Structure formats: C-alpha cells, structure tokens
Amino acid sequence: MRDSAVEDTSIWSRGMMAVTCAQFLSAFGDNALLFATLAVLKQQFYPDWSQPVLQMVFVGAYILFAPFVGQVADSFAKGRVMMFANSLKLIGAAVICFGLNPFLGYTLVGIGAATYSPAKYGILGELTTGDRLVKANGLMESSTIAAILLGSMAGGVLADWHLVAALGVCVLVYAGAVVANIFIPRLAPARPGQSWRLTPITRSFFTACRTLWHNGETRFSLVGTSLFWGAGVTLRFLLVLWVPVALGITDNATPTYLNAMVAVGIVVGAGTAAKLVTLKTVARCMPAGILIGVGVLFFAMQNALLPSYILLVLIGFMGGFFVVPLNALLQERGKHSVGAGNAIAVQNLGENTAMLLMLGLFSLAVKIGAPIIGIGIGFGAVFALAIAGLWVWQIRQK
C-alpha cells in the first residue's frame, strides 16, 4: 500500500520536485566534498597518485555493495532509502571535517552513494512513465550537473579560503538533503518480502546481471554508461593534474572551474536529449559519444584557458546528450524484467568497475611518470574508438 498516492506523473509533480531538490543537495555535497578532501590530501602532503586512489575507495564501495543495494531500493520505500543514504554521507563528511582519516570518511560517503543511486534513479520510473521518463532523466541529470558545477566550484574556492569551512559546508548540505528526502512521497516497495539471506541475495543479483547482459538493448545501455562514467571520473582527476602542467596554475579553484564548464555543457546536452531523443531513437546519441573522445584529445593539447573552457563545454554537451537516453532505456527495460532498483544496481556495478579500472590505470601512469598531456591524448583517442566499436556492435546485433 502507498502511504501517499502519487497521481500526478508529470515531471513537475510534487514528488519529482522533492526528488530533484534532494538529488541537487546530495550531488552538491558529493562534489564540494571531493575537492575539499583533495585539498586535505595536498595539505597533508599525500603523493599525487593518491588522489585517484581516494576516488577508488569511493567506487570500491559501489562494487562491494552492488549485490545488496538494488534489493534495498526495491524492498523499502525509495524515498526513505535515499534519506538513510544521505545520512551516511553526512557522517562521512563529518569524519573528514573533524580531522579523522580522509580515506575512511570518503569510504562512508561511498557506501552512502552506493545505497543512494538505485533508489534515486529507480524512483523516477515510479513517479513518471513512458517517454516522460526520458524527460525526468533529463531533469535529474540537469539538476545533478548543476550541483556538480556549483559544488565543485564551492569546494575549490572554499578550500582555498578556509579548509575547515569548506568541510563544514559539506556537512550542512548533506543535512539539507536529508531534510529534503522527508518530502518525497512514501511509495509502496517495488518488491517487498525478498529473502535477506546472503546466498539468495547474491544469487538474485547475479541472475539480474545475466538477464540484463543477455538482452541486447540493456547490454548496449550498460556498456555505454559504464564507458561514459569511467571516462568522466578519470577526466576529473586528469584536470586536477593537467592544470599545473599545461597552465602553470597551482590553486585549488581552477580545476573546479574547468570541471564546471563540463557541467554546464552536460546540463544543455541533457536537456537537448530530452527533446530530441526517445526510447525508440536511442541510437541518435552514439555520434555524441564518439565526439567526447575527440574533444578530450584536442583539449589535452591546449595551453590557454579560453579554448580549454570552450572545449570542455562541448565535451560536456556531448556527454549529456549521450548518457541521458541510455539511462532512460535501462530504467524502462529493467523495470519490467528485474526491477528498477536491481537494474540500477547492475548498472552501478558496471560503471564503477569501469571507473576502478580506468582510475587504476591513470594512477599507475602518473606513478611511473607518464606525461599528463600524453595521458590525455591517449585517453581521448581510446574512448572515441571504444564508443565507435560499441555503435558498430549494436548495429550488427540488429
């Protein structure tokens, strides 16, 4: 039974607005905390290669808890799951704020994020339906990227001003996200009464993995989004180390401004995808994926701010246009096969495995002394070729 019936399935319903607000605050906190914690590592003289390792402990939580978080999202009201997850993020940020081990605190934030993700995306299919789901994903992605833009800049700027203040703001923002979750309608659990014994849970999760990977459409979505987010998180750390090498700037704020340019582009690209792409025309997003890699390749060769800003906006636009339709496709097909929460958990496993692998290779390349500009050029070329290969593979499957 629903504690609160949801009759309005438009993307401007009260439920969608509450989810969007909670997601904005949660994503703002995630990105402000990342750059504030990177400043902590610099202040405490951690080596450069430890910066991507910080993100690796975050995505490691996604991989470790992947078999369980989908069932959590489908077994309880998703709004309450989101509230619990944001509470874990708040505790993790407080750990860092009070001077405890930053890797420990960021791991707690990662566990919260892993729990949060299936619920935040899965609830979209419960609050809206059909082609509105693409528009709802566009709104979610636009809100998320706006939060990335503002959160990244706030984290870098505040860290340059006062590091403890930056961390304190992160704690307060997560607290705001917890409050926003209260206003999400309590929907009936999608799949109540599932077994909580370890063996059935893992068996159910890997059954969901097989189901989605054996379906051509959902496999296409899983591979595409995994490549995108693996590349996206690597680009973020590439920017942090690229700025002092290519531009000669050593502050904490400049990399956040450059990340913000990507965010601006994604907001516009996500909105454009919501208008031009439907579930039946998802393949339209593939050229944009190839152009992401081409854009990164040319970006890595820049040595001035203005062309760097322009290229990063274009890269972001292509990214938003590429990933939004793929997310919507997986949610729609997954909802009718393994449950929306399980589908997003499987997606998270793929995406975070890709992130872990790409970050590991990036950290290794930095540790052995590979030039940052060369890493960027090679990264862009490989990504473009990978997306082109995926597109050809999908065409042949049909």
Side-chain angles (χ1 to χ4, degrees):
M1 295 293 292
R2 295 173 186 259
D3 292 338
S4 176
V6 178
E7 298 179 355
D8 183 1
T9 60
S10 75
I11 64 169
W12 304 113
S13 66
R14 183 176 71 88
M16 273 298 304
M17 290 300 97
V19 168
T20 303
C21 179
Q23 169 59 10
F24 175 87
L25 291 172
S26 186
F28 183 102
D30 289 350
N31 288 275
L33 182 64
L34 172 62
F35 285 98
T37 308
L38 289 174
V40 170
L41 297 186
K42 289 174 65 176
Q43 184 187 65
Q44 296 180 2
F45 301 106
Y46 282 83
D48 285 345
W49 59 264
S50 70
Q51 295 183 6
V53 172
L54 180 73
Q55 190 70 33
M56 289 170 70
V57 303
F58 181 92
V59 302
Y62 272 87
I63 295 171
L64 182 63
F65 289 94
F68 314 107
V69 292
Q71 181 163 318
V72 170
D74 285 338
S75 296
F76 301 97
K78 290 183 174 62
R80 297 306 178 263
V81 174
M82 294 166 69
M83 185 189 308
F84 170 76
N86 278 323
S87 298
L88 281 179
K89 292 184 180 184
L90 190 157
I91 294 169
V95 165
I96 302 172
C97 185
F98 286 107
L100 301 177
N101 189 292
F103 290 92
L104 171 63
Y106 211 62
T107 299
L108 288 174
V109 176
I111 295 171
T115 307
Y116 187 76
S117 184
K120 78 174 182 182
Y121 281 115
I123 201 171
L124 297 182
E126 298 178 2
L127 292 172
T128 189
T129 58
D131 281 338
R132 292 180 195 161
L133 188 56
V134 177
K135 293 180 171 60
N137 271 273
L139 179 63
M140 175 72 83
E141 293 297 335
S142 297
S143 169
T144 301
I145 301 307
I148 290 173
L149 188 159
L150 296 173
S152 297
M153 290 193 297
V157 171
L158 288 172
D160 278 338
W161 173 61
H162 196 290
L163 191 49
V164 175
L167 295 168
V169 166
C170 295
V171 173
L172 291 175
V173 169
Y174 283 135
V178 172
V179 172
N181 288 135
I182 296 172
F183 297 95
I184 298 174
R186 181 176 290 182
L187 306 174
R191 297 188 172 204
Q194 299 183 78
S195 171
W196 288 99
R197 290 184 296 121
L198 181 61
T199 300
I201 289 176
T202 53
R203 183 185 298 120
S204 174
F205 175 74
F206 288 111
T207 297
C209 288
R210 286 193 298 272
T211 299
L212 294 175
W213 280 98
H214 286 166
N215 179 280
E217 287 187 311
T218 51
R219 182 173 60 240
F220 171 60
S221 174
L222 287 168
V223 175
T225 55
S226 295
L227 288 170
F228 174 80
W229 287 111
V233 74
T234 306
L235 176 61
R236 168 169 284 190
F237 285 91
L238 176 67
L239 282 175
V240 171
L241 299 181
W242 177 87
V243 167
V245 172
L247 304 179
I249 300 172
T250 59
D251 62 15
N252 292 304
T254 300
T256 70
Y257 298 149
L258 292 168
N259 272 284
M261 294 302 101
V262 180
V264 169
I266 292 181
V267 170
V268 179
T272 305
K275 293 182 179 297
L276 299 182
V277 182
T278 68
L279 293 177
K280 294 180 180 179
T281 59
V282 169
R284 291 179 181 176
C285 73
M286 296 307 291
I290 296 171
L291 289 173
I292 294 171
V294 175
V296 171
L297 190 156
F298 281 101
F299 165 79
M301 295 185 283
Q302 304 305 310
N303 55 15
L305 272 176
L306 181 58
S308 300
Y309 282 139
I310 294 171
L311 279 168
L312 287 173
V313 170
L314 292 174
I315 291 168
F317 176 87
M318 297 303 169
F321 195 90
F322 176 71
V323 77
V324 164
L326 293 179
N327 276 338
L329 178 67
L330 182 67
Q331 290 159 28
E332 177 65 21
R333 301 297 186 261
K335 180 174 68 173
H336 298 296
S337 57
V338 300
N342 274 323
I344 301 304
V346 174
Q347 182 185 39
N348 283 341
L349 177 62
E351 290 176 358
N352 286 280
T353 299
M355 289 182 196
L356 195 64
L357 290 173
M358 292 188 191
L359 285 170
L361 290 172
F362 177 70
S363 182
L364 178 62
V366 173
K367 189 171 183 178
I368 65 176
I372 292 298
I373 293 173
I375 293 173
I377 292 171
F379 170 71
V382 170
F383 184 81
L385 290 172
I387 298 300
L390 175 62
W391 193 10
V392 171
W393 179 46
Q394 177 64 11
I395 292 171
R396 289 182 175 177
Q397 293 295 309
K398 294 182 178 180

